[in-house]
Amino acid sequence: MRMRLIPDNTNINFFKYAGVTFGGSLVMLAASVVVYLMFGLNYGIDFRGGTTIRTESTQMVDVSAYRSTLDALELGDVSITEVYDPGFRDDQNVASVRIQAQDGAESVTAETIDTIRIALQQVAPDIEFTSVESVGPTVSGELIRSAILAVLGALTAIIIYVWLRFEWQFAVGGIVALVHDIGLTIGLFSLLQIRFDLAIIAALLTIVGYSINDTVVVFDRVRENLRKYKVMPLVDVLNISANETLSRTMMTSGTTLLALLALLALGGDVIRGFVFAITWGIVVGTYSSVYIAKNVVLMLGVKRDWSKKNPATGGRYADAEDN
């Protein structure tokens, strides 16, 4: 006896409140753009420039103690990460301390470095700064451009894949859903002023992959049902397909969210922004797969070929699984 998360006879009309679900999403996307233009993003060191200090001590690295000490200096965005390496000695404890550029300067001044060293010596008296490296505004600007190109490149590749795999209407639906997911994520980060760094770019790319995977599963079932129900209206085919894949969607999203919520609660400050972005992305990605992508396909319509004499052979999608 199998436990079923969603009953087999589920028949939810996902288009009943299309004006609210699809229209509301458009309003939220527009609001995200407005919020971004008003507040911008709270860029981390990767995009604003700053200095990375590599520390070494015989004492265990206490990230929370390091952070509390440096927060008192009011240096702005500070990131602290303990560094592990199998080649380290047993008494070799290394940390990476990243500090944002101060007042638009190319790097943190020598006086500030000395102040940081004195402060950290209160936590680990024998601490040493083995290296000090700076990331200037030029490099930060290149990172921003590379991040934008990475996201746009992923979106372009996905459009081409869905277009070739299905039809152009499905490609448009998929890309609208992805723009929705990324737009709402960036809008939320702008509204809450959560630190936006390279880890968040990685999260955005993860969201893109997860969301389009969920959307393609629904589209694949739509294609099968277009072959199976040759005279059924497109809206009904889309509804049946969404209901048939609903159990898979809820199971996949639910189990992923369980792991993410555990990381969000117990993972610590270093990965909290990354995990929060993916958690939010899973929620809006699941929503867009059900309510956004299919609405776009319905509005654009899908042509079906009824010219074959034998109805059992299907329409234009009859050989789709064999190609």
Side-chain angles (χ1 to χ4, degrees), residues 78-90:
V78 177
S79 175
I80 304 169
T81 307
E82 186 172 0
V83 180
Y84 297 96
D85 192 301
F88 286 166
R89 303 185 309 272
D90 292 340

Side-chain angles (χ1 to χ4, degrees), residues 35-63:
V35 169
Y36 171 76
L37 294 176
M38 291 178 59
F39 302 109
L41 290 170
N42 179 22
Y43 290 112
I45 295 172
D46 296 325
F47 297 133
R48 287 191 297 187
T51 298
T52 299
I53 303 171
R54 188 179 177 91
T55 72
E56 185 174 325
S57 172
T58 58
Q59 299 186 27
M60 297 292 292
V61 175
D62 188 339
V63 174

Side-chain angles (χ1 to χ4, degrees), residues 203-263:
L204 289 178
L205 293 174
T206 303
I207 292 170
V208 167
Y210 187 95
S211 179
I212 198 62
N213 175 71
D214 208 24
T215 302
V216 165
V217 168
V218 178
F219 283 171
D220 205 46
R221 185 56 60 89
V222 171
R223 185 176 59 179
E224 292 176 3
N225 286 332
L226 283 171
R227 178 182 61 184
K228 183 178 180 181
Y229 305 107
K230 303 177 183 63
V231 296
M232 181 180 289
L234 179 59
V235 62
D236 294 331
V237 173
L238 291 171
N239 254 329
I240 290 175
S241 303
N243 279 284
E244 289 177 346
T245 57
L246 186 60
S247 179
R248 180 265 177 199
T249 298
M250 297 302 295
M251 183 65 72
T252 304
S253 300
T255 52
T256 305
L257 284 175
L258 287 177
L260 290 172
L261 291 175
L263 287 173

Side-chain angles (χ1 to χ4, degrees), residues 14-136:
F14 292 101
F15 295 94
K16 185 176 182 180
Y17 302 105
V20 176
T21 56
F22 189 75
S25 294
L26 293 180
V27 171
M28 290 182 65
L29 186 58
S32 296
V33 174
V34 173
V35 169
Y36 171 76
L37 294 176
M38 291 178 59
F39 302 109
L41 290 170
N42 179 22
Y43 290 112
I45 295 172
D46 296 325
F47 297 133
R48 287 191 297 187
T51 298
T52 299
I53 303 171
R54 188 179 177 91
T55 72
E56 185 174 325
S57 172
T58 58
Q59 299 186 27
M60 297 292 292
V61 175
D62 188 339
V63 174
S64 60
Y66 280 27
R67 190 182 308 280
S68 298
T69 300
L70 296 181
D71 284 347
L73 301 179
E74 298 182 351
L75 298 173
D77 185 18
V78 177
S79 175
I80 304 169
T81 307
E82 186 172 0
V83 180
Y84 297 96
D85 192 301
F88 286 166
R89 303 185 309 272
D90 292 340
D91 63 344
Q92 187 178 7
N93 300 287
V94 179
S96 176
V97 180
R98 308 176 73 183
I99 303 168
Q100 73 174 57
Q102 307 294 302
D103 299 324
E106 183 75 15
S107 62
V108 176
T109 63
E111 291 79 9
T112 303
I113 297 295
D114 290 336
T115 301
I116 295 170
R117 180 184 289 106
I118 294 171
L120 290 179
Q121 284 175 347
Q122 298 176 11
V123 180
D126 66 337
I127 196 168
E128 295 180 0
F129 289 1
T130 57
S131 68
V132 178
E133 300 176 351
S134 296
V135 178

